[in-house]
Amino acid sequence: MNYLFEEIYNESLKLKENDSVKTDRQGIEIQEFESLQAVPDEVFDNPEYSILLPPPNNALLTEIGKTPKKVLLKKNIILRNKDQHDEIKFDKNKEILQKAIYEGDTVLLCKKDSKPNYYSFIKCEDYFYVSVLDFNNDYNYTEVVDWRKVDENGFLKMLKQASRGTANSP
């Protein structure tokens, strides 16, 4: 009888684990995706949940001495970025994030004094694809703070601000 109870109990625990819904620190549901390409474009126009993605570019993580953690793109950040960067069409968000976070070739510390955990991951091409990531050790995930595409003048401005420790990233 003890053995049977133990089996039923263990099975119920497995079901509970599989049915559990992840939420971010604000209590918003998190949907996990194997890649950024798997995320529906519509999420960037009208998000209903936060997005969990694989860890960022390992070479850049090594460069800044950070441990790989999954990337969290919170619903409120998607909405804020949509308001602050209305020049980004919703179907271009994945391209910018993909190039910056997963194909990036440059990393900058954003605000060394006020936000020492904020780094810009950048892919340098004809334009510069930028995503600001928060590597706070107290968080379960690396969190996306901002993303955008800038021209050479915008990138040079970022370099100056980063060297002064006053970057305009949120």
Side-chain angles (χ1 to χ4, degrees), residues 40-42 44-45 88-96:
D41 287 336
E42 296 74 31
F44 295 96
D45 192 39
I88 300 173
K89 302 300 176 216
F90 81 93
D91 62 339
K92 295 296 181 188
N93 286 286
K94 291 194 307 189
E95 176 186 10
I96 295 167

Side-chain angles (χ1 to χ4, degrees), residues 69-129:
K69 291 196 280 187
K70 291 183 180 184
V71 173
L72 180 63
L73 179 53
K74 297 190 298 188
K75 175 183 173 179
N76 67 315
I77 298 298
I78 296 170
L79 291 169
R80 187 183 75 203
N81 212 71
K82 180 181 170 185
D83 290 342
Q84 290 180 350
H85 297 288
D86 61 354
E87 76 281 3
I88 300 173
K89 302 300 176 216
F90 81 93
D91 62 339
K92 295 296 181 188
N93 286 286
K94 291 194 307 189
E95 176 186 10
I96 295 167
L97 289 164
Q98 176 67 34
K99 288 186 178 210
I101 297 172
Y102 299 104
E103 301 169 20
D105 48 29
T106 304
V107 63
L108 295 173
L109 178 59
C110 295
K111 298 180 178 184
K112 60 185 170 189
D113 295 330
S114 63
K115 301 280 186 182
N117 298 315
Y118 280 33
Y119 288 86
S120 290
F121 275 43
I122 305 162
K123 176 68 174 176
C124 303
E125 292 182 344
D126 292 343
Y127 283 89
F128 299 84
Y129 299 84

Side-chain angles (χ1 to χ4, degrees), residues 125-128 149-159:
E125 292 182 344
D126 292 343
Y127 283 89
F128 299 84
K149 185 169 115 175
V150 297
D151 60 15
E152 186 174 355
N153 290 333
F155 181 66
L156 292 174
K157 183 178 176 183
M158 285 177 61
L159 288 174

